[in-house]
Amino acid sequence: MILEIDPHSEEPIYLQLRQQIIIGIAKGEVKPNEQLPTVRQIADELGMNAMTVSKGYQQLKEEGYLITDRRKGTLVAPLPVEKKGEKAAALTLLLAELSLSGTSEAEIKQLIDEILTSFRKGREQ
């Protein structure tokens, strides 16, 4: 999985990291129980502060996407991930934003189908 961080984005770096790891898991780029690079390795590779990477990892752990093993380090949690919090609230907000941007219902459904298909393909490999 290749992480691409935009240091000029308004999105905090730790959230960019979080989002890319979640998408990588969904697409099968990283598999359940696969070991992730250490905080220090990612920070060095991307030229960022280790505390920023640690904050992203910590959030992913709290949400159930990652687990920590004393011997193996940080691992992708087994699937399915037990998502804590309101799934419907996050989806509602996203759909509201798309609707307000002028995206038609047909376009939204097509986007959803394309994205879900990419996730299924990644996990089948």
Side-chain angles (χ1 to χ4, degrees), residues 2-100:
I2 298 173
L3 298 172
E4 295 180 19
I5 302 299
D6 179 1
H8 305 294
S9 172
E10 290 184 23
E11 187 94 50
I13 291 174
Y14 79 94
L15 288 179
Q16 291 180 51
L17 177 68
R18 174 194 171 272
Q19 292 166 353
Q20 289 188 31
I21 291 173
I22 291 171
I23 292 169
I25 294 168
K27 289 186 172 183
E29 294 171 2
V30 285
K31 308 284 185 201
N33 299 313
E34 184 175 331
Q35 184 177 2
L36 294 180
T38 66
V39 166
R40 187 171 295 176
Q41 286 172 323
I42 291 179
D44 288 346
E45 284 180 29
L46 298 176
M48 65 176 64
N49 188 304
M51 291 303 295
T52 301
V53 177
S54 180
K55 186 174 182 177
Y57 267 27
Q58 186 59 40
Q59 187 168 2
L60 288 162
K61 288 176 195 173
E62 290 171 6
E63 294 171 342
Y65 293 105
L66 301 180
I67 55 175
T68 301
D69 181 292
R70 283 186 166 178
R71 296 179 195 159
K72 297 179 183 175
T74 302
L75 308 172
V76 175
L79 296 177
V81 172
E82 288 294 325
K83 182 69 176 118
K84 299 173 184 174
E86 291 271 340
K87 295 178 216 174
L91 184 56
T92 299
L93 177 60
L94 179 58
L95 292 173
E97 290 172 348
L98 287 171
S99 178
L100 292 171

Side-chain angles (χ1 to χ4, degrees), residues 95 103-115:
L95 292 173
T103 308
S104 71
E105 184 176 335
E107 290 173 310
I108 292 171
K109 288 179 179 180
Q110 181 180 353
L111 279 170
I112 291 170
D113 287 341
E114 290 171 4
I115 293 167

